[in-house]
Amino acid sequence: MTSRIAFIGAGRLAQCLAPALAEQGESIVAVASRDPDSARRLAAQLPGSHALTPAQCVAQADLVFISTPDDAIATLTASLPWRAGQAAVHCSGATGLEALSAARQAGAMVGGFHPLQIFSDPQSARERLAGSLVAIEAPDQDLRTQLLRLAARLGLQPLAISGGQRAAYHAAANIAASGLLAVLSEASGLFEDLGLGPAEALAALLPLARGALDAAAQRGLPGAVAGPVARGDSQVLAAHLGVMAARGEEALQLYRWLCRRQLELLAGSGRPQGAARERLAALLAGAWGTDRSHPASTGKT
């Protein structure tokens, strides 16, 4: 049975998810937002949908997606006229279902539905939805069945999570997405020191970053590791550490940590071997620091 669906919150996630569901024939009957213009713009993209107040959305829908910022979920939920048999589902990756307790107390089913995707550009995110993971939490079997059906319609791969797993799940997502951007920012800064502008630096590094991700998809993380750590090249790595030390202690420790993680990734692969691995481990532990008098830094033997 097709449910009447409403969205409360018309931000980037809703701008991706609501049209994607509508394209699959789902009935999106209403949209609400603290910005009425945003609600009207989104509703205009959805056949038969209207921009309404949050309370009107709850009155008209069987399944209500709450796609507001995390810190607004509990207060908003407590202000709405939920009814028995209805479903209140938030789209947060980090917030637990306790934020929906007011809906549960009113007899509604509660759940979470968090597509694991970047929504900075809703249209691009929509194109990437199929094949993406979606974290689903739904204690009630009826609601779980509904959410699994919607996931299947969108081509999403479901992952069942519980409240106690949300922090780890969301931390992993943050590292894999925005964490990559922080690392690219550090690399871009080094290219900017060579005279490139910020946009040029990023454009120069993106093909390399994409290549690394493609290699990881094809060969797994250990098989994709390349560069001085994989080769066991302590002389080159010592030179890198010297450059990072000049950028400050935080930059140096970040680079050391990243290289230590590469060495750990390679532990079962046989790369690098024996003495080369030991030299790298000592260098990355700070035993040699960036002492340019050490053979690893100078190339002397």
Side-chain angles (χ1 to χ4, degrees), residues 117-286:
Q117 190 48 259
I118 291 289
F119 294 101
S120 50
D121 180 345
Q123 180 57 44
S124 296
R126 213 159 117 199
E127 294 167 2
R128 293 191 299 265
L129 271 183
S132 296
L133 184 144
V134 59
I136 293 177
E137 184 177 6
D140 297 276
Q141 181 60 49
D142 286 350
L143 177 56
R144 189 158 56 251
T145 299
Q146 287 187 62
L147 296 181
L148 288 171
R149 182 185 68 80
L150 294 179
R153 296 295 300 275
L154 296 174
L156 294 166
Q157 304 300 313
L159 171 69
I161 62 170
S162 63
Q165 298 171 315
R166 281 187 173 274
Y169 161 80
H170 204 250
N174 190 42
I175 292 169
S178 295
L180 289 181
L181 301 182
V183 173
L184 275 173
S185 174
E186 192 67 31
S188 293
L190 289 164
F191 266 31
E192 288 171 41
D193 290 347
L194 302 178
L196 278 69
E200 292 175 302
L202 180 59
L205 289 164
L206 282 176
L208 183 64
R210 292 190 182 105
L213 291 174
D214 288 344
Q218 294 166 8
R219 301 196 293 272
L221 294 175
V225 177
V229 174
R231 295 192 304 268
D233 195 336
S234 55
Q235 180 177 333
V236 169
L237 190 58
H240 290 186
L241 292 172
V243 169
M244 299 309 289
R247 293 178 66 82
E249 184 65 19
E250 284 190 354
L252 174 61
Q253 294 307 323
L254 171 64
Y255 193 74
R256 272 189 172 138
W257 183 85
L258 290 170
C259 290
R260 284 197 297 267
R261 292 295 289 130
Q262 292 175 52
L263 201 56
E264 291 168 11
L265 271 175
L266 292 167
S269 71
R271 298 185 299 154
Q273 295 183 340
R277 170 175 282 274
E278 292 175 7
R279 285 195 297 270
L280 289 187
L283 185 59
L284 294 172

